[in-house]
Amino acid sequence: TITTIGLTTNGMKLKTSIDDLIAAGLNSINISMDTLIPEKFEHISRRDKKGLSLLISNIYKVYAKYAHVLKIKINFVAVRDLNDMEISSFIRFVGEINKIEESDQHVYSNQSNQTRQAPQPIDLRFIEMMPFDSNNWDEKKLINYHEIIDLMKQEVSSLCVWGGGRVVCVVHEGCIFIYPHIIYNYLLIPLLFN
């Protein structure tokens, strides 16, 4: 039995396609987003910098309308001297979306009178830059697991570390995950944030 239908996207056309995708059974979506700065967005995505405001708007609209049936995850690839200083900003950004009140979300008439599910908070996933021939990978660009943790501490006051430093829990709605491809050989590191 198939229980999850997922999609990875840059999020640019979500506003126009999400209704059909949900109707087709989509219940999980990964959105690639590596910066909140328009000029960097233009450089990283090779799209007009105005596209960043469209992407942010799409994320808010999709969350407000479908968070009760759709698990949304934002993937952030950390790169030294490019976006590493934005880790705290992304934690705040996702936290603000997750604070959208139920009353602010889109309410549908439900002919079956079933109780509407609570919204699922957005997860944030920090990903170490992986070595590919096509991305000009350089070890000097790598922001590793430990550095991401240190940068997170600037924004998050309570961190709990388990399992020899491999599992980190932060108090928040939703979850933060770190994908430390280089240090821990693709071990998934879950973090809860508030």
Side-chain angles (χ1 to χ4, degrees), residues 18-182:
I18 193 64
D19 293 339
D20 290 338
L21 291 168
I22 293 292
L26 184 75
N27 57 14
S28 178
I29 190 165
N30 296 334
I31 301 172
S32 300
M33 185 178 187
D34 299 318
T35 184
L36 293 168
I37 299 170
E39 291 73 22
K40 288 185 182 179
F41 177 84
E42 187 171 50
H43 170 72
I44 293 169
S45 68
R46 298 183 182 90
R47 294 179 177 273
D48 190 285
K49 61 185 176 182
K50 294 177 184 175
L52 178 60
S53 61
L54 172 62
L55 172 57
I56 291 171
S57 173
N58 285 348
I59 291 171
Y60 269 94
K61 288 174 182 174
V62 169
Y63 179 81
K65 189 172 183 180
Y66 287 119
H68 60 292
V69 294
L70 181 67
K71 184 61 186 175
I72 303 169
K73 298 168 233 173
I74 294 179
N75 293 345
F76 175 100
V77 177
V79 181
R80 188 178 309 282
D81 298 328
L82 178 63
N83 62 1
D84 51 323
M85 67 293 298
E86 294 188 69
I87 285 175
S88 291
S89 299
F90 265 79
I91 292 172
R92 290 192 299 271
F93 169 69
V94 172
E96 285 302 312
I97 298 173
N98 285 340
K99 290 178 185 174
I100 293 175
E101 297 293 329
E102 180 74 17
S103 60
D104 296 332
Q105 296 191 355
H106 187 85
V107 178
Y108 296 95
S109 61
N110 193 331
Q111 295 178 350
S112 65
N113 293 321
Q114 294 178 349
T115 304
R116 189 168 184 262
Q117 295 178 24
Q120 302 174 75
I122 292 179
D123 288 349
L124 176 58
R125 308 193 310 175
F126 292 120
I127 303 172
E128 287 182 349
M129 186 179 184
M130 296 171 60
F132 293 114
D133 290 339
S134 60
N135 72 354
N136 298 314
W137 190 86
D138 181 344
E139 189 174 357
K140 293 176 184 176
K141 297 179 182 178
L142 175 67
I143 304 293
N144 67 41
Y145 160 78
H146 300 290
E147 291 175 284
I148 292 173
I149 296 295
D150 288 341
L151 290 165
M152 287 177 59
K153 287 178 181 176
Q154 297 173 13
E155 184 63 29
V156 181
S157 57
S158 70
L159 273 167
C160 301
V161 181
W162 296 304
R166 294 189 183 197
V167 179
V168 181
C169 175
V170 186
V171 180
H172 203 335
E173 303 126 351
C175 296
I176 299 176
F177 297 91
I178 298 178
Y179 285 73
H181 298 294
I182 308 304

Side-chain angles (χ1 to χ4, degrees), residues 4-23:
T4 302
I5 299 176
L7 172 72
T8 297
T9 176
N10 62 19
M12 300 305 293
K13 295 186 177 180
L14 275 180
K15 182 181 175 183
T16 58
S17 61
I18 193 64
D19 293 339
D20 290 338
L21 291 168
I22 293 292

